[in-house]
Amino acid sequence: MFEKIIEIIILSAIQGISEFLPISSSAHLFLVSNFYEFKSSSLSIDISLHLGSLFAILFFFRKEIFNLNNNKFLKLIIIGSLPLIIFGYLLYTSELIYLLRNVKVVAFTTFFFGIILYFADQRKIENDISSNLNIKTILFIGLFQILALIPGVSRAGITMTAARFLKFNRVDASKISFVLSIPALAGASFLGLKDIIMQSIEINYFIIVAIFFAFIFSYITIKFFLNFISKFSLNIFVAYRIILGIFLFFIFYY
């Protein structure tokens, strides 16, 4: 039992950290699973991890999201998430999404979109979230987010890339990326819960543990990253992605 809790904590850390940093959760999950086979990994645990991250983002941005006097922000987030929800559902139901899940794809996308992130981060800062986030800009970011369906691209990375191309400052680009994760995480959780019900999977207390630790790691990551990005560029994440991509290529070919 103790070993399973340790595994859940490790999975929670991977989920909570890589979900909100522009470094690709798919790459890290593959990398860790390549060296260690998690006995506790299961559909119910995966859904619990997503739920923990979802609760963390809702709690962190509760004032902005649940501000009844200004629901424009919430409407824009829903609109911006529609492309991902539609394409994600089509790939999920057609099972085409599973064809993309291999180390070569993850290695290439981790490396390539890390470079794209670098060029996007060089853009001048001219826009801010309060006056320049509208239907046109959120749909542009939302269309970029479709690419996150390809493992290794990183949902956080590609949305930050799109927002920086639109000249949003780094903090606002990060906030847009974070709140856009809400419908994505909710959609993934919903599809997973449907499978759990259909397969009659038993609910146990390990699920509570997974939700709790995923919440903690996600909340800390969000808070840390917003503080970090207000002072520094995204270069450290670009360099990390390039090194990680090269390492994954090495694993694939050797």
Side-chain angles (χ1 to χ4, degrees):
M1 184 181 74
F2 180 74
E3 181 183 1
K4 189 168 184 177
I5 291 176
I6 295 299
E7 288 185 352
I8 289 174
I9 292 175
I10 294 172
L11 288 170
S12 299
I14 296 172
Q15 166 63 28
I17 295 172
S18 61
E19 177 67 39
F20 298 107
L21 297 184
I23 56 176
S24 172
S25 58
S26 300
H28 289 81
L29 286 170
F30 175 85
L31 192 61
V32 174
S33 62
N34 187 71
F35 294 102
Y36 182 79
E37 184 177 349
F38 286 99
K39 298 176 182 178
S40 60
S41 182
S42 64
L43 177 61
S44 59
I45 295 298
D46 289 345
I47 299 307
S48 302
L49 297 174
H50 282 91
L51 282 174
S53 292
L54 176 61
F55 293 153
I57 198 73
L58 287 172
F59 182 74
F60 193 93
F61 289 103
R62 60 192 182 280
K63 292 181 180 178
E64 292 89 343
I65 296 169
F66 301 110
N67 184 359
L68 298 179
N69 296 321
N70 182 21
N71 57 8
K72 177 186 174 183
F73 185 64
L74 182 58
K75 288 180 180 178
L76 288 174
I77 295 306
I78 294 173
I79 292 171
S81 300
L82 289 177
L84 179 69
I85 292 172
I86 294 170
F87 278 87
Y89 181 76
L90 291 174
L91 285 177
Y92 176 81
T93 53
S94 63
E95 297 187 352
L96 290 174
I97 195 168
Y98 299 108
L99 298 177
L100 300 171
R101 293 182 177 178
N102 65 74
V103 63
K104 191 174 182 179
V105 171
V106 173
F108 174 78
T109 52
T110 299
F111 182 89
F112 177 76
F113 285 98
I115 295 175
I116 298 299
L117 177 62
Y118 170 79
F119 287 107
D121 197 43
Q122 306 310 304
R123 300 279 285 178
K124 294 181 180 179
I125 298 170
E126 296 180 358
N127 297 330
D128 63 78
I129 198 171
S130 59
S131 56
N132 299 105
L133 187 65
N134 50 47
I135 292 178
K136 182 179 178 180
T137 55
I138 201 67
L139 276 177
F140 178 84
I141 298 171
L143 288 171
F144 262 67
Q145 191 175 211
I146 294 174
L147 293 171
L149 294 168
I150 305 172
V153 170
S154 169
R155 193 209 57 78
I158 199 63
T159 49
M160 289 181 198
T161 297
R164 290 294 289 122
F165 270 130
L166 292 174
K167 299 182 179 181
F168 282 97
N169 65 64
R170 295 185 182 100
V171 172
D172 283 348
S174 301
K175 287 182 178 179
I176 293 169
S177 172
F178 290 157
V179 293
L180 273 176
S181 71
I182 295 172
L185 288 169
S189 299
F190 173 78
L191 290 173
L193 288 172
K194 185 185 73 171
D195 290 340
I196 287 176
I197 294 172
M198 291 179 64
Q199 297 175 28
S200 301
I201 297 176
E202 182 182 353
I203 306 299
N204 54 61
Y205 71 91
F206 287 114
I207 290 176
I208 305 300
V209 174
I211 292 174
F212 173 77
F213 280 106
F215 175 92
I216 296 298
F217 281 111
S218 297
Y219 186 87
I220 292 174
T221 300
I222 295 166
K223 191 170 184 177
F224 163 80
F225 185 74
L226 288 175
N227 181 59
F228 175 90
I229 211 65
S230 66
K231 303 172 183 176
F232 304 100
S233 72
L234 292 166
N235 287 347
I236 188 172
F237 299 103
V238 171
Y240 180 79
R241 286 186 66 130
I242 291 173
I243 294 171
L244 179 60
I246 292 172
F247 185 62
L248 288 171
F249 272 123
F250 178 82
I251 292 177
F252 178 78
Y253 287 107
Y254 294 96

